Amino acid sequence: MYYRSEVLVIGTGLAACTAALTLADKGIQVNMLCPTETLDGGNSELAQGGIVYVHDNPEDAYALEKDMLNAGRNYNFVTAVRHLADEGGNAVQEILIDRLKVPFNVRSSNTADWDLTLEGGHSAPRILHCADYTGRSIIEAMHKAVLEHDNIVVLYKRSAVDLITTDHHSCLDMYRYQLENQCAGAYAFNEETSQVERHLATFTILATGGVGNVYLHSTNSEWAVGAGISMAQRAGVRLANMEFVQFHPTSLYHKSKKHPLITEAVRGEGGHLVDINGQAFMHKYDPRKSLAPRDIVSQAIATEMLMTGAQHVFLDATKLDCDVTERFPTVYQSCMEIGVDMRKDFIPVVPAAHYFCGGILVDLTGKTTLGNLYAVGECSCTGIHGANRLASTSLLEALLWGFGAGKNIADNLHSKKCIDERVFASISAWENTGNEHNDDPALIAQDWATIRNIMWNYVGIMRTESRLHRAFAELRDLSSHLHDFYRHTPLSTALVRLFHGCNTAYLITQAALRNKNSLGCHHRVE
């Protein structure tokens, strides 16, 4: 069984959908791989705060550029930062406002009088939002457009296993001596048939999201285990900035619950952090106090927790000059579910793994170092975030680079550099090497617990040389074990995710161990 398309998109989030729609609008046939039975379930829809919107304002574009460089500790790729600041607003206007009609909040009956808000690290209010469920509003509009498009086919319950490349999978002699390796699609596990299928494509786009779920405490969806990064590394694709994992300072703390996000916009509207005794503390760490960039706030909270022995701090949102039930309905509901009324009670918060600033190295069009392979969204490293992401730039990055990748592929689909059609006929079916049915759920759960505890305790908010060496040794052993397990056990969705997650955790740890300099969200203490 195999599928053939002009473009294969692996993922269904904002970046994936933007690329797919851009291509489909140009008459190009696109196949999308979705790991679940619906398009929902990714990180994009969890974004609460909003999306940066700078449009027809050169002065604010320049100020945004400076804010991003400041948050990213000047470790950013300046060209990419400038590209986002200059072109991002046009993408928001053209795709989200004009085409998809996303219902962003306005201040008055004038539909262009946008309710722009302020978030940490920004020098001016420039965040476009839909209450505190911006990601969900954008994704609902995106998914509707994708499902209605005749040129897009969504294939559900498919988990990508490996990239198909001409070096490794083509049987043609002509590729034995070629210098440039090219991507020709991907192998994917079909959960309904328990078979691995070939998904062959002239161009492939990785849009698999982030890595947060390799950590014990995370705001991410369960699928955020770095699948695209793991596959890219196995195919020899260049990665960058793998040590920079951003922890969101304020996730809702509750022992028996997952950690839902408390959007940074709560602090932008006047909320401030206090310790377990109700005393403000951020003034000790940064003059911007609770509106400092995320790495500074997360590290400050972690330090306060260590000093006091507390398991969390508080966010005081009791004096906000707005109706929180309307401005922050998602946050309000999450708090009420654990018996906290944010209108009169302090909100218990703790940092949690949130966003990955590194990933698969790409250019301004999403192109990777592997021929015919693109990467967009959180799995990619465009360089705009540097050592730490500025709030509400992630949705904009996903939108702009998804748009750029779609346009670039459309321009090059019939170029001479495209894969020879004979190659696709020479790609062999997936070889099943395992017949030992030992994928015990208890074993997989234990391996996940090991990975997540190692990453949280040793490769977390504050890192030391000894912790990183311990993580490296333990993940090396687990990785070796899983490689053997992977070869001898028939594939399942759970096993594929575990393998990708372990490989990603190991790559993050190696990068963190190599970088001796404390910078941004790679915070080393000795």
Side-chain angles (χ1 to χ4, degrees):
M1 177 63 128
Y2 74 90
Y3 294 82
R4 174 73 172 94
S5 60
E6 291 179 294
V7 182
L8 174 68
V9 177
I10 304 175
T12 58
L14 176 57
C17 289
T18 303
L21 282 174
T22 303
L23 289 158
D25 283 348
K26 296 179 181 294
I28 296 168
Q29 195 265 316
V30 178
N31 282 2
M32 296 184 75
L33 298 186
C34 176
T36 56
E37 57 187 10
T38 68
L39 289 177
D40 303 319
N43 273 352
S44 296
E45 65 199 60
L46 300 178
Q48 293 180 357
I51 183 169
V52 169
Y53 181 57
V54 176
H55 191 53
D56 292 336
N57 188 338
E59 288 186 5
D60 197 23
Y62 179 65
L64 172 61
E65 184 181 326
K66 290 203 299 183
D67 289 346
M68 293 175 67
L69 293 173
N70 183 49
R73 300 298 186 272
N74 289 301
Y75 202 70
N76 323 57
F77 179 35
V78 177
T79 303
V81 171
R82 191 160 298 144
H83 177 60
L84 185 92
D86 291 343
E87 301 298 332
N90 295 330
V92 172
Q93 184 70 43
E94 181 178 337
I95 302 169
L96 301 185
I97 295 174
D98 294 341
R99 177 177 175 176
L100 297 182
K101 313 294 184 187
V102 176
F104 294 113
N105 284 33
V106 294
R107 295 187 187 276
S108 66
S109 57
N110 182 348
T111 55
D113 183 19
W114 304 114
D115 181 28
L116 300 176
T117 190
L118 179 70
E119 291 191 4
H122 287 272
S123 58
R126 57 169 76 98
I127 314 300
L128 201 58
H129 65 95
C130 301
D132 65 348
Y133 44 80
T134 310
R136 189 165 78 240
S137 294
I138 292 173
I139 282 297
E140 284 176 354
M142 275 283 181
H143 285 172
K144 183 175 184 293
V146 164
L147 292 173
E148 290 176 351
H149 211 297
D150 292 338
N151 292 329
I152 300 175
V153 175
V154 182
L155 300 163
Y156 298 97
K157 293 189 175 182
R158 263 73 169 198
S159 295
V161 179
D162 262 327
L163 294 175
I164 295 171
T165 65
T166 52
D167 267 6
H168 293 96
H169 302 106
S170 174
C171 302
L172 291 179
D173 289 342
M174 62 183 284
Y175 278 91
R176 186 177 302 164
Y177 302 106
Q178 284 208 359
L179 296 180
E180 184 181 4
N181 191 17
Q182 292 177 296
C183 183
Y187 290 108
F189 179 78
N190 184 332
E191 191 174 329
E192 293 187 332
T193 64
S194 296
Q195 299 296 316
V196 177
E197 302 164 339
R198 286 167 289 173
H199 291 265
L200 308 175
T202 308
F203 286 93
T204 301
I205 302 176
L206 286 172
T208 55
V211 305
N213 234 26
V214 303
Y215 282 87
L216 185 62
H217 301 299
S218 167
T219 64
N220 287 196
S221 77
E222 63 175 321
W223 293 97
V225 296
I229 292 161
S230 173
M231 290 188 292
Q233 183 268 337
R234 283 164 59 83
V237 182
R238 186 177 169 190
L239 309 177
N241 293 1
M242 292 290 291
E243 64 269 40
F244 295 112
V245 180
Q246 185 185 74
F247 291 80
H248 197 287
T250 54
S251 70
L252 182 62
Y253 174 80
H254 194 268
K255 288 183 178 179
S256 63
K257 293 271 186 181
K258 183 109 177 134
H259 295 280
L261 183 68
I262 304 297
T263 173
E264 195 156 341
V266 174
R267 282 175 282 140
E269 295 285 355
H272 65 277
L273 292 159
V274 297
D275 63 20
I276 200 71
N277 298 312
Q279 299 299 311
F281 60 85
M282 278 305 303
H283 62 280
K284 297 185 293 184
Y285 300 93
D286 193 280
R288 290 164 289 187
K289 301 177 183 177
S290 293
L291 283 175
R294 290 176 176 178
D295 59 330
I296 294 173
V297 181
S298 293
Q299 290 155 21
I301 292 173
T303 301
E304 291 292 317
M305 288 166 58
L306 282 173
M307 288 194 303
T308 62
Q311 293 183 307
H312 61 83
V313 295
F314 288 110
L315 177 60
D316 179 4
T318 59
K319 299 180 179 65
L320 299 193
D321 188 22
C322 63
D323 183 347
V324 296
T325 62
E326 292 185 2
R327 176 64 181 87
F328 301 111
T330 305
V331 172
Y332 177 75
Q333 183 60 37
S334 295
C335 290
M336 289 299 287
E337 286 177 2
I338 65 167
V340 173
D341 186 342
M342 64 185 287
R343 297 171 296 184
K344 58 184 180 180
D345 302 326
F346 288 176
I347 306 169
V349 294
V350 67
H354 182 59
Y355 191 84
F356 191 44
C357 299
I360 304 162
L361 185 64
V362 299
D363 67 8
L364 295 185
T365 66
K367 195 181 298 180
T368 73
T369 56
L370 176 61
N372 294 35
L373 178 70
Y374 289 68
V376 292
E378 195 172 346
C379 71
S380 70
C381 180
T382 63
I384 71 161
H385 306 303
N388 179 51
R389 176 174 73 92
L390 181 66
S392 287
T393 54
S394 55
L395 290 178
L396 184 57
E397 179 193 36
L399 182 77
L400 184 60
W401 261 263
F403 186 47
K407 289 196 298 182
N408 190 262
I409 290 173
D411 291 342
N412 290 282
L413 190 61
H414 302 293
S415 71
K416 292 181 180 179
K417 288 189 176 182
C418 286
I419 298 173
D420 191 300
E421 282 297 320
R422 291 173 293 174
V423 171
F424 296 112
S426 74
I427 302 296
S428 60
W430 177 268
E431 184 180 351
N432 290 305
T433 58
N435 55 18
E436 299 176 11
H437 292 274
N438 58 358
D439 55 337
D440 186 337
L443 297 177
I444 292 177
Q446 180 57 45
D447 284 341
W448 267 124
T450 299
I451 293 166
R452 287 169 176 149
N453 278 284
I454 288 171
M455 295 302 290
W456 185 256
N457 292 324
Y458 304 150
V459 201
I461 297 172
M462 294 187 285
R463 302 162 178 177
T464 68
E465 185 80 6
S466 58
R467 290 176 194 170
L468 292 172
H469 274 293
R470 174 74 68 88
F472 175 80
E474 293 186 12
L475 287 171
R476 177 188 57 199
D477 292 343
L478 181 58
S479 180
S480 176
H481 162 72
L482 284 179
H483 271 81
D484 292 337
F485 192 63
Y486 190 71
R487 280 196 296 269
H488 298 134
T489 306
L491 287 188
S492 65
T493 301
L495 185 55
V496 171
R497 282 172 59 194
L498 175 62
F499 183 82
H500 288 327
C502 182
N503 194 34
T504 299
Y506 192 31
L507 291 169
I508 293 169
T509 301
Q510 291 178 70
L513 194 54
R514 284 194 299 268
N515 189 349
K516 307 295 183 183
N517 300 315
S518 183
L519 187 68
C521 48
H522 172 56
H523 186 57
R524 292 192 61 152
V525 292
E526 302 301 340

